[in-house]
Amino acid sequence: MNMTSSSVDVHGKTYNRILLVIVVMIGSFTTVLNQTFLATALPTFMRVFDVSTATVQWLPTGFLLVNGIMIPISAWLADNVPTKRLYLITMLIFFCGTLIAFQAHSFAALLVGRLIQAVGVGVVLPLLQIMMLEIFPANQRVQAMGLAGIVVGLAPAVSPTLAGYILDHGSWRILFGMLLPIIAFVLFGALFFMKDVLPGKPSQLNLWSTITSSLGFGSLLYGFSTAGNDSWGDAKVLIALAVGLVFIALFIHRQLTMERPFLDLRVFLNKDFTVGTLLSSFVNLSMVGVEMVLPLYLQDLMGHSPFESGLTMLPGALLIGLMSPVTDRLFDQYGIRNLAITGFAILTLGNLPFIFLSATTPEILVVFLYAVRMFGISLVLMTTITNAMNAIPVSEFSHGTAANNTFRQIASSMVTAVMISILSNVTKAHLPGHALKSSAPLLYANRAFEATLHGYSATFLFATLFSVAGLCLDLTLKPTRR
């Protein structure tokens, strides 16, 4: 890529594009690292704060929910707030949330810190994509998104092992404390090197759109999450799901009838954009689902420490970062259809064996299978997003990015909640009666263990369905080369 250092911002002033990209990528790396280290830390938080699996899952699902609420707003913010000011404010919010989580002395305080973090992250990550697409010319867009892919790939590669080592040798607070100086460095760098690079399109913030999107997605996720403790037929669950669907319908109707929509959903009228968004969502759902459940399996059933479970996932996670520049060239050479079919096929083959894992599965096999599936993910994680964005005009990038990210994040929030619900409910359904616990405690323990295995198998099967769905959807892509 031609990384010419001198560029011009919206005020006609020159700026150093390389330094701006470095600041943005370090900041984004920090936010993604913050998102992904929790998978390894969830069992620790369950022990420290004495909470159930269904309760602790609010740390990732609540985070993703707030992300999903903020991402539609990010399109409006990118159009109405100068880029530099917006970046500084959102990174400062992320810093405050991290500080609260670092000092938390209860699960509620930790959750509050995570939700405040999510407010900043919900704007920072879409802003990264919009800026990379805006400041690089069209013929360098694939490579620009490849740079963003390095951030998305390397942070998850580092976080499980790093978090595991910290949890084995120190306090969980270090997970948040180590981020504070990095965020401070990014804020300092942004003061000098961040510039207003996004052209503004001022409009009024539509309050009704904000209310309906927040209530709709919030209620829907609450219903999915509550089902982890209660049954799917519980009145509270059904009411929450119904309220969520009603407000989401109102939100969609409002956006389609507004002259200047809060989030322009008309981008989904473009078939290539819609297919690209669905594919990026399927790969994200398959990735997030297994990344969340696998550490629980490794630590709870196989008896690994957090550090050991992180090491098990490290080789596969590293592949995403290492494959990013290679994937860019493959995308240019073979086109999205061939790349997507290959990627989803490999991902499906890597996912299937996880359904049959047991407590005696060799660790080296888990490492290999996880690496196989992550290799498949590396081929389609950013290329499907890039292909979707290439289908729409430059003037719609902010709304296209927001729509794509909103769909993926809300889907991830819901699927995370559903997977925890499947894990809990399938395990409960296979648990032996309590009478056996007193009459034959060893037999009860053995059957309880088998019940937990059934829960994990069902959860891995659910994650595999998304890779199969993606593989089927790949066949609708046009067999063209770029």
Side-chain angles (χ1 to χ4, degrees):
M1 182 190 297
N2 178 21
M3 285 289 287
T4 304
S5 61
S6 181
S7 298
V8 180
D9 65 13
V10 296
H11 306 297
K13 298 179 180 180
T14 59
Y15 70 94
N16 192 306
R17 185 169 63 179
I18 293 176
L19 292 177
L20 183 147
V21 169
I22 290 173
V23 168
V24 172
M25 288 189 68
I26 293 175
S28 300
F29 178 87
T30 308
T31 61
V32 177
L33 186 70
N34 167 77
Q35 280 183 278
T36 53
F37 64 50
L38 271 197
T40 306
L42 289 181
T44 299
F45 291 135
M46 290 171 64
R47 292 192 298 270
V48 170
F49 296 109
D50 191 24
V51 294
S52 66
T53 304
T55 299
V56 80
Q57 62 93 18
W58 275 101
L59 290 175
T61 55
F63 187 97
L64 290 173
L65 168 64
V66 176
N67 261 281
I69 292 172
M70 290 303 302
I71 288 171
I73 301 176
S74 70
W76 182 88
L77 291 172
D79 287 342
N80 289 270
V81 182
T83 314
K84 181 174 182 176
R85 186 187 308 170
L86 177 60
Y87 191 80
L88 286 169
I89 291 174
T90 50
M91 285 303 293
L92 185 60
I93 292 172
F94 178 57
F95 180 88
C96 293
T98 305
L99 183 61
I100 292 172
F102 172 67
Q103 297 178 329
H105 291 283
S106 66
F107 181 79
L110 178 62
L111 180 58
V112 168
R114 289 288 292 171
L115 297 182
I116 294 174
Q117 282 184 319
V119 173
V121 176
V123 178
V124 168
L125 289 181
L127 198 59
L128 165 69
Q129 292 184 21
I130 299 171
M131 290 172 63
M132 297 297 277
L133 292 167
E134 182 70 38
I135 66 179
F136 289 101
N139 63 339
Q140 297 179 16
R141 201 171 289 153
V142 177
Q143 292 88 343
M145 291 301 288
L147 284 176
I150 293 175
V151 170
V152 174
L154 285 181
V158 173
S159 62
T161 307
L162 178 60
Y165 181 83
I166 290 172
L167 293 170
D168 278 0
H169 298 87
S171 170
W172 61 267
R173 297 183 188 277
I174 301 175
L175 295 174
F176 299 100
M178 68 180 182
L179 300 179
L180 294 173
I182 304 176
I183 304 170
F185 172 80
V186 171
L187 284 167
F188 181 77
L191 285 173
F192 296 97
F193 304 122
M194 178 61 63
K195 303 297 178 181
D196 297 332
V197 295
L198 301 179
K201 292 180 285 185
S203 62
Q204 284 190 331
L205 178 63
N206 188 273
L207 184 60
W208 178 241
S209 295
T210 307
I211 292 173
T212 52
S213 65
S214 300
L215 289 177
F217 295 126
S219 297
L220 199 64
L221 179 69
Y222 178 78
F224 278 107
S225 301
T226 306
N229 281 328
D230 306 317
S231 67
W232 287 95
D234 185 82
K236 182 170 57 176
V237 174
L238 295 176
I239 291 173
L241 293 176
V243 170
L245 290 173
V246 168
F247 276 100
I248 289 173
L250 291 173
F251 172 75
I252 293 174
H253 178 265
R254 177 63 173 163
Q255 303 320 294
L256 294 178
T257 55
M258 291 175 66
E259 183 179 348
R260 294 285 302 274
F262 175 73
L263 177 63
D264 193 353
L265 299 176
R266 296 181 185 90
V267 291
F268 286 109
L269 295 176
N270 185 308
K271 178 187 173 183
D272 292 336
F273 176 84
T274 301
V275 171
T277 299
L278 285 172
L279 287 174
S280 65
S281 298
F282 287 149
V283 69
N284 193 61
L285 294 174
S286 184
M287 180 178 69
V288 169
V290 174
E291 282 184 350
M292 179 195 67
V293 175
L294 188 58
L296 295 173
Y297 164 82
L298 291 170
Q299 294 178 48
D300 291 346
L301 291 189
M302 299 191 72
H304 288 349
S305 69
F307 180 54
E308 289 170 337
S309 68
L311 283 176
T312 302
M313 301 168 68
L314 179 61
L318 280 172
L319 276 174
I320 292 185
L322 295 175
M323 283 295 297
S324 184
V326 179
T327 303
D328 297 340
R329 292 193 291 271
L330 293 174
F331 181 77
D332 284 331
Q333 184 174 357
Y334 297 106
I336 187 61
R337 189 176 192 268
N338 293 327
L339 200 61
I341 290 175
T342 303
F344 273 101
I346 294 173
L347 175 57
T348 301
L349 291 175
N351 276 340
L352 284 172
F354 278 91
I355 302 171
F356 307 102
L357 292 182
S358 68
T360 58
T361 301
E363 184 176 347
I364 189 64
L365 180 60
V366 177
V367 173
F368 173 75
L369 292 174
Y370 190 75
V372 169
R373 63 183 304 279
M374 294 302 276
F375 177 75
I377 287 171
S378 71
L379 298 179
V380 288
L381 181 62
M382 295 306 297
T383 52
T384 51
I385 298 175
T386 305
N387 192 65
M389 296 305 296
N390 280 339
I392 60 176
V394 176
S395 59
E396 297 179 8
F397 273 173
S398 60
H399 286 275
T401 300
N404 181 285
N405 279 282
T406 299
F407 191 90
R408 286 189 297 115
Q409 290 286 58
I410 293 297
S412 296
S413 300
M414 294 177 181
V415 167
T416 300
V418 171
M419 290 186 72
I420 290 296
S421 173
I422 291 174
L423 178 60
S424 300
N425 289 326
V426 173
T427 300
K428 289 178 183 176
H430 287 83
L431 281 175
H434 281 285
L436 186 64
K437 189 174 184 178
S438 55
S439 61
L442 291 179
L443 181 59
Y444 177 87
N446 183 54
R447 291 186 179 177
F449 187 86
E450 291 177 355
T452 307
L453 273 178
H454 282 297
Y456 281 108
S457 295
T459 308
F460 287 129
L461 173 61
F462 184 71
T464 303
L465 294 178
F466 292 108
S467 61
V468 174
L471 185 58
C472 295
L473 187 60
D474 289 334
L475 301 178
T476 67
L477 293 169
K478 299 174 183 177
T480 57
R481 293 190 180 187
R482 288 179 50 77

